[in-house]
């Protein structure tokens, strides 16, 4: 079992292990490297909606969610929505191999130590968060199955229309 898998399992077993970061909470800030090694901070995206998705190469549902996120990021280019996927593989080569098969057209960041994942206390993989322009979590989604994409997009649109 990999480090991040163990971390996620331990988080799920902790008392009160319900999703610690939920709607209305301030999103924990982070700075992580992108594919080129350039640091990207969540704080730098303040003022727009940010769809943050945690994923891993060993995650079966991530094989479905990443192609959908490509479509979402293309549709979101005209909207004030940024798609950011945070990989939690302990070995970046695993993520790179995964992305060769399923290339990403959105920002991919790397959290090999699982520190950002731990700060969000993920209950499963993938887990996504919609963060509002004010830096607060609007809602969360755990897992990804066929049909979830339509539901998630409807939720994003609903939140973006709120005053």
């Amino acid at each position: 079992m990999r480090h991040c898998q163990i971390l996620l399992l331990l988080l799920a077993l902790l008392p009160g292990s319900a999703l610690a970061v939920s709607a209305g909470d301030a999103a924990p800030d982070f700075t992580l490297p992108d594919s080129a090694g350039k640091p990207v901070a969540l704080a730098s995206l303040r003022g727009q909606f940010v769809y943050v998705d945690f994923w891993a190469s060993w995650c079966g549902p991530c094989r479905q969610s990443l192609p959908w996120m490509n479509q979402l990021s293309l549709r979101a280019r005209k909207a004030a929505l940024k798609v950011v996927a945070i990989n939690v593989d302990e070995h970046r080569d695993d993520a790179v191999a995964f992305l060769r098969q399923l290339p990403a057209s959105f920002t991919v960041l790397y959290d090999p130590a699982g520190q950002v994942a731990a700060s969000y206390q993920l209950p499963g993989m993938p887990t996504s968060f919609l963060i509002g322009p004010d830096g607060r979590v609007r809602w969360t989604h755990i897992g990804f199955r066929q049909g979830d994409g339509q539901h998630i997009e409807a939720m994003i649109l609903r939140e973006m229309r709120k005053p």
Side-chain angles (χ1 to χ4, degrees):
M1 219 183 253
R2 296 191 171 114
H3 171 336
C4 288
Q5 289 170 307
I6 293 169
L7 175 66
L8 291 173
L9 179 61
L10 290 174
L11 287 172
L13 295 175
L14 289 173
S17 63
L19 189 64
V21 177
S22 57
D25 293 343
D29 197 18
F30 58 79
T31 300
L32 293 170
D34 66 10
S35 301
K38 178 184 170 196
V40 176
L42 179 60
S44 72
L45 303 174
R46 187 66 72 88
Q48 60 187 318
F49 282 89
V50 184
Y51 181 80
V52 176
D53 182 83
F54 289 87
W55 68 282
S57 64
W58 46 263
C59 165
C62 297
R63 290 202 164 277
Q64 294 177 350
S65 66
L66 261 70
W68 170 79
M69 284 191 292
N70 277 331
Q71 296 169 1
L72 176 66
S73 70
L74 292 174
R75 287 191 289 275
R77 289 199 175 153
K78 294 180 183 176
L81 175 68
K82 178 80 170 170
V83 177
V84 176
I86 299 176
N87 176 268
V88 297
D89 282 309
E90 186 175 343
H91 302 286
R92 187 170 169 164
D93 291 345
D94 294 336
V96 170
F98 184 95
L99 292 170
R100 273 193 212 110
Q101 295 173 8
L102 296 167
S105 62
F106 45 85
T107 301
V108 176
L109 305 177
Y110 297 91
D111 182 26
Q115 292 175 332
V116 175
S119 73
Y120 278 78
Q121 295 191 11
L122 307 179
M125 291 298 279
T127 296
S128 55
F129 300 84
L130 181 66
I131 301 169
D134 59 356
R136 299 191 96 50
V137 174
R138 295 294 185 94
W139 58 260
T140 61
H141 184 81
I142 304 161
F144 195 89
R145 293 180 298 280
Q146 188 173 9
D148 280 357
Q150 290 176 322
H151 169 73
I152 293 169
E153 284 191 58
M155 296 297 290
I156 290 170
L157 288 173
R158 187 188 86 201
E159 290 298 323
M160 290 179 80
R161 289 183 184 135
K162 285 184 178 179

